[in-house]
Amino acid sequence: MENILITGGAGFIGSNLALSLFKRGYSVRVMDSLSAQIHGEKPESSPLFLSIKDKVEFVCGDVRNRKDWEKAIEGQDIIVHLAAETGTGQSMYEVEKYVDVNIKGTAILLDLLASKKHTVKKVLVASSRAVYGEGAYYC
């Protein structure tokens, strides 16, 4: 069975994917920073985190940290990269933070895959909802 890393795997989409893959017998590792915006001030009590706890291997890490990536990638066959800052409105006034997490985090992943030995065969990357705008309107 393949080893699958899900970044942002304690978020809404990531946790549901992790549980689905776990139920199908995959070995799932999740890397997530457990940000307060998603998980509240006590992330260890977050319903999303609790839904995957003890079912997957959990790595508390930040996609902007190369060492966290190196630890998370080790021994993985597939990476599903969902980790991102979300919040359409916030992305308009916290631009640097969103670029740092959403772009730099992905760049570090790609740099590691291009420059270091690994077992990763496939990478799936999803976009942040922040790129879609505030809703239906005409430009």
Side-chain angles (χ1 to χ4, degrees), residues 37 85-95 97-98 130 134:
Q37 182 168 330
E85 285 294 332
T86 64
T88 307
Q90 277 181 328
S91 71
M92 299 299 141
Y93 58 84
E94 291 185 36
V95 177
K97 176 183 177 184
Y98 278 68
E134 290 291 338

Side-chain angles (χ1 to χ4, degrees), residues 3-16:
N3 298 316
I4 302 174
L5 167 65
I6 305 170
T7 67
F12 179 73
I13 294 170
S15 63
N16 281 284

Side-chain angles (χ1 to χ4, degrees), residues 49-68:
F49 174 69
L50 291 174
S51 74
I52 62 168
K53 186 180 178 208
D54 301 324
K55 296 180 180 82
V56 304
E57 179 186 351
F58 182 77
V59 174
C60 189
D62 187 323
V63 295
R64 297 169 294 181
N65 184 311
R66 187 173 292 270
K67 296 269 185 234
D68 290 346

Side-chain angles (χ1 to χ4, degrees), residues 77-81 109-110 113 118 120-125:
D77 301 306
I78 298 170
I79 299 173
V80 180
H81 181 39
L109 165 63
L110 296 175
L113 294 176
H118 59 81
V120 177
K121 297 179 272 184
K122 186 182 293 187
V123 177
L124 291 91
V125 180

